Amino acid sequence: MLLIPAIDLKDGHCVRLKQGDMAQATVFSEDPAAMARAWLDKGARRLHLVDLNGAFAGKPQNFTAIRSILKAVGDDIPVQLGGGIRDLDTIERYIDAGLRYVIIGTAAVKNPGFLKDACSAFGGHVIVGLDAKDGKVATDGWSKLTGHEVLDLARKFEDWGVDAIVYTDIGRDGMLTGVNIEATVKLAQSLSIPVIASGGLSNLEDIRRLCAVESDGVEGVICGRAIYSGDLDFAKAQELADQLNG
């Protein structure tokens, strides 16, 4: 079970939002690169970056901070990034800078041809982020709820060659209310590619419940507010996951 610390970037700072609301941003660090090294030192095996400004602007806005993080971690662990990735040139620029995976969210839903092209040009580097509420996919920084069913889109994207799905229950993200295990497992069981859980992780009990369903295809979980607020000790959580699924 991969426990993946999230570093959400806004105006070059490391922040956390509540339910995707840019107005409810808490700054946790002025130095994202140092934060990245800190999670690496605590045993992280992958990092999850989000360009929050980019997600709303539709193009990269925190490239300097992202590049500093990639330099800080080097080849030690893979890094994945979402937010504002709308064209192949952006993907190429990030991969050239050392990024392992791009996460395509809104653009995958609104411009499926782009996703297809990305999978073709950058196979092995493309993850789709599906943000959902009550089984329906949301786009544009969670501001718009579509009529698309998560399962239908995920199966289609799997056929196109994406590497994994990051599934976020947007009703729980940043609220410390627990991961939506049931919906995450339902999605994972319907796919052959891995699913990464996101949204609501709050304590060690969540880790235990996730480890119990790893064999269903839930590869990891993104750790956000809980590891910054102190509700969850990241090092202890990763140690527990290793014990349970070692």
Side-chain angles (χ1 to χ4, degrees), residues 23-120:
Q24 295 192 63
T26 305
V27 176
F28 282 100
S29 173
E30 305 285 347
D31 188 346
M35 181 63 71
R37 286 301 312 181
W39 293 127
L40 188 64
D41 293 343
K42 289 178 184 291
R45 293 166 200 159
R46 190 186 291 195
L47 290 177
H48 176 81
L49 310 184
V50 181
D51 180 349
L52 292 170
N53 304 98
F56 285 87
K59 58 184 178 180
Q61 298 288 304
N62 283 283
F63 188 76
T64 300
I66 292 160
R67 188 167 51 193
S68 71
I69 289 171
L70 294 171
K71 283 184 178 178
V73 302
D75 296 326
D76 292 342
I77 58 172
V79 179
Q80 61 191 43
L81 166 76
I85 298 168
R86 304 283 197 273
D87 58 68
L88 298 180
D89 288 343
T90 296
I91 297 175
E92 185 172 28
R93 187 182 180 202
Y94 278 134
I95 291 174
D96 286 348
L99 192 75
R100 180 75 60 87
Y101 301 105
V102 292
I103 302 172
I104 301 174
T106 293
V109 182
K110 290 186 153 187
N111 186 5
F114 161 59
L115 178 64
K116 249 185 175 176
D117 290 345
C119 289
S120 177

Side-chain angles (χ1 to χ4, degrees), residues 172-178 200-203 206 224-227 229 231:
R172 301 190 184 211
D173 189 75
M175 302 305 287
L176 303 176
T177 52
L201 183 74
S202 58
N203 53 41
D206 283 332
R225 182 170 288 274
I227 59 173
S229 65
D231 289 83

